[in-house]
Amino acid sequence: MGDWVDVCALDEIEEEDVIRFDHGGRTFAIYRDMEDGVWCTDGLCTHEQVHLADGLVMDDTIECPKHNGRFNYKTGAALRSPVCVALATYPARVEGGRVKVQV
Amino acid sequence: MALAEITRTPRDYSLTGPEARHAVEAGLASAEWYHSDVPRKVMKDLMRRTDGPAIRDTAIWIGLLILCAGGGIATWGTWWTVPFWAVYGVLYGSACDSRWHECGHGTAFRTIWMNDAVYALASFMVMRNPVSWRWSHARHHTDTIIVGRDPEIAVMRPPDLARKALAFIGIPDVFQHFAILARNAMGRFGPAERDYIPEAELPKAVAWARAFVAIHVLAVALALATWSLLPLMLIGGPRIYGTWHMVLTGLLQHGGLAEDVLDHRLNSRTVLMNPVSRWIYWNMNYHVEHHMFPMVPYHALPKLHALIRDDLPAANTSILDGYREMIGAMLRQRREPGYYLRKELPPSARPYRAEFHALDNERH
């Protein structure tokens, strides 16, 4: 596992939304759910390498903005074609009002 | 092959030929496309899913289909039957396309099974394999009107106008579609299909094709057994006698416009239409907007259009206006396959990846 990395203040991510986070030459998507839980996945869709941060968060799912494929952002599971390959997920937590991810 | 040679010879629209390799080499495949600026907060509102509008529209759609079928059967053998079938035909043979499209994107309903159920029904009506076409349409959105990559280019250059005219009565479209379904039902897929359908999805495609073919064969058998056209008026036939509106609106989407550009403002057409056509077409007349932001549901497209229209070419003002523009370009393309209609952007708009537009100009 990598180091815990500071991403942003929790209130910089809206409830039921996602932001893009670039770190170490890689890109991630950081999610905030309706209960202030935070989650982290790879930032690019496994289908066509589109940034998921431009997509739509609904309940536990993120929908890719290009082809409407869906993932469960908490487990990374691919839920709806055209995505077939799951997303990698990473530990995320809130500490002192800051979002941190282990990548 | 040198670029100039490629652009001056007739184009190869297959997905496995030299144009496909050229598109990849030129950076046209899976590329980044232009997007108008829309604040994230506003876009989230536009993308928001709800079941309400699509449940209402689907209830009206199914209700009218049942009503018209009932009226058509009750008046069969009299002239009174004609208006019932005229309406039933369009609801079945044309409205199916927009329902197939929106539910394929998964944007019509918030609830997944509702999208999937209407998608399956509409796929049957439009005679498209629901698995194959989901992948084909994903490719159409990745590589919109990129020659050698997009499997859904409806108007290839030079355009065959007679064939396009026949498409208004489903010829040869409906027979080709059925032949593909029959081929898929036997487990056979062409090289283009194998190019965009993952191997693991093929068994599902076979199962759906078998079901669709079986229902159509039953309808034909029933027609023969009863020696009546009625079963075919209800099933399959509307894809011939009611498909005209689908073709009327569908050709306008990209016809006569640029190929091989990475900007939907230049290869797609937004046409303002009457409310009835917009309902049948589920607002796909806002086609630039749909391609730029495919996550926005059909019922939010007018709002999106109002928001970004200053960054888009002026919309065509009617179906007639769109056809005047498109037919003029298609007539010229018969003699000059390299010609296309260059949509003018507003002065404030930034051209995107201009080198590809210049490349397309070489085909003049």
Side-chain angles (χ1 to χ4, degrees):
Chain A
M1 267 304 167
D3 296 330
W4 283 94
V5 181
D6 184 74
V7 177
C8 64
L10 178 63
D11 59 12
E12 286 179 52
I13 313 175
E14 285 189 20
E15 280 187 357
E16 206 177 34
D17 203 4
V18 56
I19 63 162
R20 175 176 166 179
F21 175 58
D22 295 335
H23 175 75
R26 297 164 68 195
T27 186
F28 302 92
I30 316 291
Y31 310 82
R32 176 177 171 185
D33 64 24
M34 294 297 277
E35 284 83 41
D36 286 348
V38 290
W39 307 83
C40 175
T41 70
D42 273 339
L44 299 175
C45 178
T46 56
H47 171 231
E48 286 276 2
Q49 304 289 294
V50 174
H51 281 283
L52 292 170
D54 294 326
L56 179 65
V57 178
M58 285 180 290
D59 304 322
D60 293 349
T61 65
I62 173 71
E63 186 175 293
C64 172
K66 186 77 175 175
H67 301 105
N68 310 90
R70 289 184 192 172
F71 300 95
N72 180 317
Y73 64 79
K74 295 183 176 176
T75 65
L79 301 177
R80 182 178 186 279
S81 60
V83 299
C84 301
V85 178
L87 273 178
T89 60
Y90 305 90
R93 68 186 183 208
V94 180
E95 203 176 276
R98 305 285 303 174
V99 176
K100 294 180 188 290
V101 294
Q102 192 178 26
V103 293
Chain B
M1 187 185 287
L3 183 63
E5 287 175 79
I6 289 171
T7 54
R8 290 196 175 86
T9 51
R11 306 209 70 183
D12 171 13
Y13 287 86
S14 76
L15 305 190
T16 51
E19 294 272 14
R21 286 194 296 280
H22 164 69
V24 173
E25 286 160 11
L28 289 165
S30 303
E32 266 199 60
W33 287 68
Y34 179 85
H35 292 94
S36 297
D37 283 335
V38 179
R40 171 82 184 158
K41 227 179 176 54
V42 177
M43 183 47 65
K44 269 175 66 184
D45 274 345
L46 289 168
M47 292 190 295
R48 198 172 304 284
R49 301 297 153 72
T50 165
D51 287 332
I55 287 178
R56 177 201 64 207
D57 285 344
T58 304
I60 294 171
W61 182 47
I62 302 286
L64 283 174
L65 277 166
I66 292 170
L67 202 70
C68 291
I73 292 167
T75 56
W76 186 244
T78 74
W79 282 106
W80 293 107
T81 206
V82 173
F84 288 110
W85 295 114
V87 177
Y88 180 84
V90 171
L91 292 171
Y92 182 126
S94 288
C96 61
D97 181 51
S98 53
R99 275 65 183 168
W100 163 84
H101 177 263
E102 282 300 287
C103 294
H105 277 283
T107 51
F109 299 90
R110 181 185 171 92
T111 307
I112 292 177
W113 73 261
M114 291 185 189
N115 278 313
D116 290 345
V118 175
Y119 180 71
L121 173 67
S123 295
F124 170 77
M125 290 169 155
V126 77
M127 288 189 189
R128 290 176 190 153
N129 189 314
V131 176
S132 318
W133 277 78
R134 199 188 282 280
W135 289 94
S136 143
H137 199 64
R139 176 69 74 82
H140 173 60
H141 271 267
T142 304
D143 299 322
T144 311
I145 318 297
I146 302 293
V147 177
R149 294 286 301 174
D150 184 349
E152 296 184 8
I153 299 180
V155 184
M156 298 174 185
R157 305 181 200 162
D160 183 342
L161 295 185
R163 196 181 166 113
K164 289 295 150 206
L166 284 172
F168 281 77
I169 49 166
I171 295 171
D173 191 50
V174 69
F175 301 105
Q176 284 177 335
H177 277 52
F178 194 77
I180 292 168
L181 279 175
R183 186 164 50 72
N184 291 168
M186 290 186 281
R188 284 164 40 198
F189 293 85
E193 290 168 311
R194 288 185 183 277
D195 190 54
Y196 56 76
I197 309 170
E199 191 77 25
E201 294 277 292
L202 294 179
K204 272 194 274 177
V206 172
W208 277 108
R210 286 179 181 166
F212 285 10
V213 168
I215 297 169
H216 283 104
V217 167
L218 272 176
V220 172
L222 196 60
L224 288 172
T226 58
W227 204 241
S228 166
L229 271 179
L230 198 50
L232 297 177
M233 293 299 284
L234 287 164
I235 294 174
R239 221 10 212 94
I240 293 175
Y241 70 82
T243 209
W244 62 270
H245 191 276
M246 171 171 80
V247 180
L248 179 78
T249 49
L251 286 177
L252 286 170
Q253 293 177 352
H254 308 283
L257 300 176
E259 295 172 341
D260 295 350
V261 292
L262 299 177
D263 191 331
H264 296 113
R265 299 173 300 177
L266 302 179
N267 69 9
S268 306
R269 183 183 278 109
T270 285
V271 182
L272 304 180
M273 287 183 186
N274 67 79
V276 175
S277 286
R278 277 179 44 202
W279 184 83
I280 294 168
Y281 195 26
W282 260 8
N283 282 337
M284 275 308 113
N285 53 306
Y286 297 107
H287 214 64
V288 180
E289 294 83 345
H290 165 67
H291 267 282
M292 210 183 262
F293 299 107
M295 298 186 64
V296 175
Y298 74 95
H299 49 81
L301 285 175
K303 215 183 279 182
L304 175 61
H305 170 72
L307 196 72
I308 64 172
R309 68 180 164 204
D310 291 342
D311 195 40
L312 310 183
N316 289 93
T317 53
S318 64
I319 292 176
L320 187 62
D321 180 51
Y323 266 82
R324 275 197 193 116
E325 175 188 274
M326 183 179 71
I327 293 285
M330 285 166 71
L331 286 171
R332 190 164 162 188
Q333 283 174 344
R334 285 197 309 168
R335 301 185 307 275
E336 301 170 54
Y339 175 76
Y340 66 96
L341 254 166
R342 192 182 173 97
K343 282 282 186 182
E344 289 299 321
L345 297 174
S348 56
R350 183 169 56 91
Y352 193 63
R353 305 298 299 268
E355 68 271 27
F356 290 128
H357 311 158
L359 182 153
D360 208 38
N361 278 338
E362 289 184 29
R363 298 194 179 96
H364 282 284

